[in-house]
Amino acid sequence: MGSVDHTTTNIEAEKKKITVIFVLGGPGSGKGTQCANIVENFGYTHLSAGDLLRAEIKSGSENGTMIQNMIKEGKIVPAEVTIRLLQKAIQESGHEKFLIDGFPRNEENRASFESITGIMPEIVLFFDCSEEEMEKRLLNRNQGREDDNIETIRKRFNVYMESSLPVIQYYDTLGKVRRIDAAKPVDAVFEDVKVIFEKVAEIAA
Ligand code: UP5
Ligand code: MG
């Protein structure tokens, strides 16, 4: 009496349809800021790949030093490491609708995620912003991030242009990209984001 039927529970869990929206854009384009707004209004679970990697450094894991060095240099951590963290977070949350923020950042990330999880994003939200504006924001952030210094910021911009933009272009060819002018003030950006999420909700209904 009162015991849980684990077989049924697991089968139910497997039946869950996982919905993923990738949130992409340059360093400082406002991905994290807007994801917080989306969570409040549309009931998604926010998974920032960067936050998961920073938590992994803090946890003292064996990969910590490697991840720390990559972040300091603005380089992209190997896909298997980031995907493992994302999968764990998805499973532990028990939820179904996710915003994956700051991932995939290169072709290796994208292809590995697709083949390991079998998940294709519903849409890709792309925050488009000039480097000048992004640099200003990052230098004013003051949250003690080790990569918010001008030397690392420039490296992050280069990696973004060379490796991350092609991923956005790839999804654009599939008709998945929803571009947002991210140079506007936070509230104005969210107004545009809302229109997109209202459409997604309509389609899902
Ligand atoms: N701000 C936000 N929106 C604004 C607006 N509209 N107007 C004015 N100001 C605005 O915003 C940045 C700052 O701008 C904040 O102070 C905010 O108030 C203000 P935020 O929302 O934090 O921007 P975001 O796009 O999230 O910037 P972030 O710096 O987090 O982006 P990155 O993509 O650089 O960082 P992330 O944490 O994703 O990755 C860091 C590093 O981790 C990478 O460089 C890489 O080394 C590593 N990484 C991987 O290797 N693999 C991954 O999959 C992910 C990360
Ligand atoms: Mg962020």
Side-chain angles (χ1 to χ4, degrees), residues 27-28 30-33 46 48 50-51 54 101-102 141 145 156:
K31 302 183 291 295
T33 304
H46 176 207
S48 158
D51 286 351
R54 285 183 284 274
D101 155 7
R141 178 156 53 185
R145 265 183 52 175
R156 289 157 72 191

Side-chain angles (χ1 to χ4, degrees), residues 182-198:
K184 296 182 192 173
V186 174
D187 291 351
V189 174
F190 189 57
E191 285 306 310
D192 295 343
V193 168
K194 261 203 289 206
V195 174
I196 290 166
F197 275 81
E198 277 156 6

Side-chain angles (χ1 to χ4, degrees), residues 25-34 48-51 53-54 67 70-78 82 86 101-105 109 127 133-134 137-138 140-143 145 147-148 152 156 159 182-187 189:
S29 57
K31 302 183 291 295
T33 304
Q34 295 299 331
S48 158
D51 286 351
L53 290 167
R54 285 183 284 274
I67 297 170
M70 301 293 266
I71 289 181
K72 237 185 212 155
E73 288 303 311
K75 290 184 181 158
I76 300 166
V77 171
T82 316
L86 286 168
D101 155 7
F103 178 95
R105 292 179 108 85
N109 282 180
F127 289 115
E133 172 66 18
M134 293 193 291
R137 291 179 188 176
L138 294 175
N140 285 327
R141 178 156 53 185
N142 286 326
Q143 283 177 0
R145 265 183 52 175
D147 54 350
D148 280 350
T152 310
R156 289 157 72 191
V159 170
K184 296 182 192 173
V186 174
D187 291 351
V189 174

Side-chain angles (χ1 to χ4, degrees), residues 115-153:
S115 66
I116 292 172
T117 68
I119 296 172
M120 273 297 272
E122 201 76 7
I123 57 166
V124 175
L125 206 57
F126 167 37
F127 289 115
D128 196 5
C129 194
S130 70
E131 270 191 18
E132 196 191 359
E133 172 66 18
M134 293 193 291
E135 184 178 302
K136 203 170 71 188
R137 291 179 188 176
L138 294 175
L139 290 173
N140 285 327
R141 178 156 53 185
N142 286 326
Q143 283 177 0
R145 265 183 52 175
E146 278 195 75
D147 54 350
D148 280 350
N149 57 80
I150 192 62
E151 202 184 317
T152 310
I153 288 171

